[in-house]
Amino acid sequence: MADPLTVMAGIPIPSTSPLFLAIVGLHILAGLVCVVAGAIAMLCPKGHGRHSDFGTVYFWGLAAVFVSASGLSAMRWAEDHLLFGLGALAFLLGLFGRTALKRRWRAWPRLHIAGMGGSYVVLLTAFYVDNGKILPVWSSLPPLTYWLGPALMGLPIILYAMLRHPIARSGGHSIR
């Protein structure tokens, strides 16, 4: 027997539980904050200022996405356990990237780029795995695309930044 559906703005949500719907609302808001703040942080000049401010917003938004994804997955474990795994992986990658920066580990710029960039790719992967089947254009693609598309687009950018960005190339030492 299929779960009852709630349809909001033409989007089917697989529950009528007010608690589930409230968590979905917070989850969507936190996800949007992550997508926007993460993109701004990536595009801003690196260092203190906008990059670190938006990076901090991204990290705490990612924490909220993980907490809300955990709650949603617990309520529908059979259907959403893979999304819990993706949420955990995204948060752990973000935590790794943030910690590499904060603790200035050896080669911290590359570790920071890999962790934060990887968390963004996994965040988008989770979104497409969960929603690709109802999105225009994406719904006509094979489901494997939901899993591989974000990585195929994001990993070359991450690798380029790890190898070519002046801060990464300097090992985090002052570049003048």
Side-chain angles (χ1 to χ4, degrees), residues 3 15 17 19-20 23-24 27 65-85:
D3 291 334
S15 181
S17 161
L19 177 60
F20 187 89
I23 296 171
V24 165
H27 184 71
V65 165
F66 174 56
V67 168
S68 59
S70 298
L72 294 169
S73 296
M75 296 173 83
R76 294 176 28 101
W77 188 254
E79 299 85 1
D80 292 341
H81 63 280
L82 289 174
L83 295 173
F84 170 79

Side-chain angles (χ1 to χ4, degrees), residues 11-175:
I11 301 169
I13 301 170
S15 181
T16 57
S17 161
L19 177 60
F20 187 89
L21 297 173
I23 296 171
V24 165
L26 293 171
H27 184 71
I28 292 168
L29 180 61
L32 288 171
V33 165
C34 283
V35 169
V36 172
I40 294 171
M42 283 184 261
L43 296 172
C44 283
K46 307 309 174 235
H48 293 292
R50 285 186 299 183
H51 174 76
S52 59
D53 291 345
F54 281 101
T56 298
V57 170
Y58 170 77
F59 176 78
W60 289 110
L62 189 61
V65 165
F66 174 56
V67 168
S68 59
S70 298
L72 294 169
S73 296
M75 296 173 83
R76 294 176 28 101
W77 188 254
E79 299 85 1
D80 292 341
H81 63 280
L82 289 174
L83 295 173
F84 170 79
L86 289 170
L89 179 58
F91 180 70
L92 289 172
L93 284 167
L95 182 61
F96 173 81
R98 182 178 169 90
T99 304
L101 167 71
K102 295 286 185 188
R103 296 201 178 159
R104 295 288 201 234
W105 290 341
R106 186 172 180 269
W108 70 264
R110 289 188 173 131
L111 298 175
H112 176 69
I113 292 166
M116 300 308 276
S119 73
Y120 197 84
V121 166
V122 174
L123 177 82
L124 293 176
T125 301
F127 172 78
Y128 288 117
V129 164
D130 193 36
N131 299 293
K133 60 193 167 291
I134 63 168
L135 295 173
V137 179
W138 284 85
S139 63
S140 64
L141 299 172
L144 188 59
T145 308
Y146 312 152
W147 287 94
L148 299 179
L152 290 173
M153 294 182 71
L155 291 181
I157 296 168
I158 293 168
L159 288 172
Y160 179 83
M162 288 174 65
L163 296 173
R164 304 296 300 164
H165 194 281
I167 294 173
R169 288 173 54 137
S170 75
H173 303 296
S174 179
I175 51 174

